[in-house]
Amino acid sequence: MSMEIGRDDGRTANQLRPLACSRNILNRAHGSASWSQGDTKVLAAVYGPKAGTKKNENPEKACIEVIWKPKTGQLGKPEKEYEVILKRTLKSICLLNINPNTTTSIIIQVVSDDGALLPCAINAACAALVDAAIPLKHLAVAICCCLTESGYVILDPTKVEEQKMKAFAYLVFPNSAISIIPEGSSHMEGELMEHGIITSVTHGVMSVDDYLHCLERGQAASTKMSAFLRRSLQSQAPNDSSRAG
Amino acid sequence: MEDNKPASFIDQLVVPGDVVLDLSKMGNQTIKLGGGLHQDCDAITVTKAGRLRFSKPNKYWVESSQKRYVPCVEDTVLGIVVDSKADNFLVDIKGPAMAFLPVLAFEGGTRRNIPKFEAGTLLYVRVVKANTGMNPELSCTDAHLTCPVLEALGKKLSFEIAVGLNGRVWVNASSPSTVILVANAIMNSESLSVVQQKIMVDKLLQRIQ
């Protein structure tokens, strides 16, 4: 297998930073969540669905709006791009036919940025949508995979690591779902991506093989993150100590 | 190794994306889907995180707590008047869309005695229509609810109450301390069992005697 590369914080190439997720942390928002990966932390708030859609949006479907709030300063080009990527990603996991002619707003507040900021924001936004009980097709699990100068793929980089990368990819996968329908009926021979991918954003130059390698590592990590997300969402389920007769 | 699937996911915690029912394996029975479930051909998938529930004979739903209200026919709710038009009052019921209350939907209502509600008026109403893509329609009505917390409070205190299924409650009494006590009792009782609720109400009532 590949050599172990030494990362500054002692992690292996495939190791994620500690994950933490809290829901229902803002009183007035209809749904809220904070998500942190190591020292990168993002807060997401969801308001809606509220009546009416924005200009140029299809009133026959629900509309999603994303507002990005950087830790300091104004919105620059990277932040505006994050808003677009977030909007497209979240739109694809929402069931837009259920509440037509409504707008659901997601506000992203950066608390601290130590690398992999956009994937962290996507994870926070997804948890906040669940907290607001917005109807979703499935969940989204986001991860950053990068390619070092020496050709290794590492996951969930810190800011220092990000700055030294040759290329990176933000990948968003659907969560691993439990199903009453047996796995065998939908699995294709030799197909790694049986569950597909929601979003892929790449920066820098990488070969096709490197990209496929990123997809494979990212998919494997997303399975672990999916299990974490499931446990996290279930630990705050309504208390059922009062059972109805 | 593969066949460890539970026979069903009923009473288990589920998240969006989980497939909980397979209609092709359920014969020709009709089933009713409540909140949090969505049909995609033969697969019934979860759309909200919560606990999957089943009630005989054929109703499935996902139980979850949320801050926004999903309008449902026959629910009684507390709405706040936002505007009045020629034929309808526009009422905010904490749902995705504004609700309409026809000006004639009152006991003995005629064109000559249309009530004058200003913006901000609180109304206790029943949901009459709740179709996807349309504004919900309301009607003015009475309702009686039994609840252990309210019954225990009612034995010692005198107060008026209107409970909305959309998360709003209106309480009135002659003294502010009674209103506060009733409100606190209701808010405290959210996650308690019936026995725990009775103990909690007794403790609160002891404090004022």
Side-chain angles (χ1 to χ4, degrees):
Chain A
M1 283 268 110
S2 60
M3 278 192 321
E4 285 301 317
I5 67 161
R7 295 171 78 169
D8 287 340
D9 53 6
R11 283 188 285 157
T12 62
N14 285 333
Q15 201 174 348
L16 303 172
R17 289 173 287 179
L19 298 172
C21 174
S22 297
R23 281 196 298 142
N24 196 15
I25 48 180
L26 298 176
N27 256 325
R28 285 188 175 261
H30 300 144
S32 56
S34 76
W35 184 282
S36 59
Q37 293 169 207
D39 286 334
T40 300
K41 184 168 175 178
V42 175
L43 209 61
V46 170
Y47 295 88
K50 287 190 172 172
T53 49
K54 305 269 167 189
K55 238 180 8 175
N56 299 332
E57 296 279 358
N58 181 2
E60 288 181 31
K61 301 209 165 186
C63 157
I64 304 285
E65 139 181 88
V66 175
I67 297 162
W68 184 282
K69 303 239 180 227
K71 184 173 174 182
T72 55
Q74 304 276 42
L75 278 190
K77 262 189 169 172
E79 286 83 19
K80 296 216 174 106
E81 195 186 337
Y82 291 165
E83 281 179 345
V84 171
I85 296 167
L86 258 159
K87 177 172 165 167
R88 287 198 199 157
T89 302
L90 297 176
K91 262 179 88 161
S92 77
I93 67 170
C94 288
L95 279 156
L96 298 173
N97 291 323
I98 292 191
N99 287 313
N101 200 21
T102 61
T103 301
T104 297
S105 308
I106 297 118
I107 299 160
I108 301 289
Q109 174 66 63
V110 177
V111 174
S112 57
D113 177 11
D114 186 24
L117 183 61
L118 181 59
C120 190
I122 292 170
N123 293 327
C126 178
L129 285 174
V130 173
D131 193 50
I134 301 295
L136 302 174
K137 291 178 203 164
H138 49 75
L139 306 171
V141 178
I143 184 127
C144 178
C145 306
C146 27
L147 194 62
T148 65
E149 290 291 344
S150 34
Y152 295 109
V153 169
I154 65 169
L155 298 181
D156 193 23
T158 59
K159 204 153 192 68
V160 166
E161 286 177 325
E162 250 180 7
Q163 279 152 359
K164 296 192 285 196
M165 289 303 124
K166 189 167 101 174
F168 60 85
Y170 296 135
L171 301 171
V172 187
F173 300 95
N175 64 318
S176 319
I178 57 176
S179 176
I180 207 155
I181 296 174
E183 235 0 277
S185 50
S186 55
H187 181 81
M188 279 159 62
E189 276 296 326
E191 182 67 69
L192 278 174
M193 308 303 299
E194 65 188 82
H195 297 296
I197 188 168
I198 300 172
T199 295
S200 166
V201 182
T202 50
H203 283 252
V205 179
M206 61 169 89
S207 68
V208 173
D209 280 340
D210 285 333
Y211 179 65
L212 293 176
H213 201 191
C214 283
L215 286 180
E216 183 203 334
R217 295 293 184 84
Q219 164 93 80
S222 82
T223 310
K224 288 185 224 147
M225 289 179 75
S226 206
F228 166 78
L229 182 56
R230 180 180 290 273
R231 281 195 310 272
S232 168
L233 293 178
Q234 291 175 349
S235 69
Q236 286 165 297
N239 193 332
D240 56 347
S241 58
S242 48
R243 284 177 181 273
Chain B
M1 203 162 80
E2 272 294 321
D3 278 347
N4 276 337
K5 299 216 184 315
S8 92
F9 294 121
I10 292 173
D11 288 340
Q12 295 212 33
L13 293 166
V14 290
V15 299
D18 291 343
V19 178
V20 293
L21 292 174
D22 180 0
L23 293 181
S24 63
K25 302 264 161 62
M26 290 176 68
N28 266 335
Q29 54 177 297
T30 312
I31 60 167
K32 287 188 185 168
L33 297 181
L37 293 175
H38 183 253
Q39 177 179 8
D40 187 11
C41 304
D42 273 346
I44 304 296
T45 30
V46 174
T47 62
K48 298 185 184 182
R51 205 174 277 278
L52 181 65
R53 295 289 191 203
F54 169 69
S55 84
K56 291 187 183 152
N58 57 4
K59 185 169 176 192
Y60 296 87
W61 76 99
V62 176
E63 189 179 75
S64 65
S65 83
Q66 58 191 64
K67 289 188 185 167
R68 293 294 277 179
Y69 168 62
V70 176
C72 233
V73 180
E74 290 310 308
D75 280 354
T76 44
V77 297
L78 279 160
I80 296 180
V81 176
V82 166
D83 199 2
S84 55
K85 304 276 179 200
D87 289 329
N88 292 300
F89 295 104
L90 290 179
V91 182
D92 163 31
I93 57 172
K94 286 182 68 179
M98 229 20 106
F100 293 154
L101 171 62
V103 298
L104 297 174
F106 296 83
E107 287 301 317
T110 63
R111 277 275 159 204
R112 283 167 177 250
N113 61 356
I114 293 175
K116 291 190 176 67
F117 294 136
E118 287 178 352
T121 310
L122 189 65
L123 297 175
Y124 190 50
V125 289
R126 183 167 46 95
V127 177
V128 169
K129 280 193 202 153
N131 298 321
T132 320
M134 290 168 56
N135 297 71
E137 202 180 288
L138 310 170
S139 172
C140 260
T141 187
D142 244 347
H144 298 286
L145 287 166
T146 53
C147 155
V149 172
L150 296 181
E151 280 176 1
L153 289 169
K155 285 189 184 137
K156 296 279 166 69
L157 302 170
S158 163
F159 58 93
E160 287 177 274
I161 188 163
V163 178
L165 282 158
N166 58 338
R168 283 197 184 125
V169 180
W170 173 85
V171 181
N172 191 26
S174 48
S175 78
S177 56
T178 309
V179 175
I180 293 169
L181 195 142
V182 171
N184 284 341
I186 294 168
M187 289 191 285
N188 289 346
S189 63
E190 185 171 355
S191 51
L192 303 179
S193 70
V194 177
V195 174
Q196 287 169 326
Q197 283 173 2
K198 289 217 172 87
I199 296 172
M200 180 268 301
V201 172
D202 285 339
K203 274 200 192 135
L204 278 178
L205 289 172
Q206 270 164 22
R207 284 210 208 134
I208 58 159
Q209 258 140 25

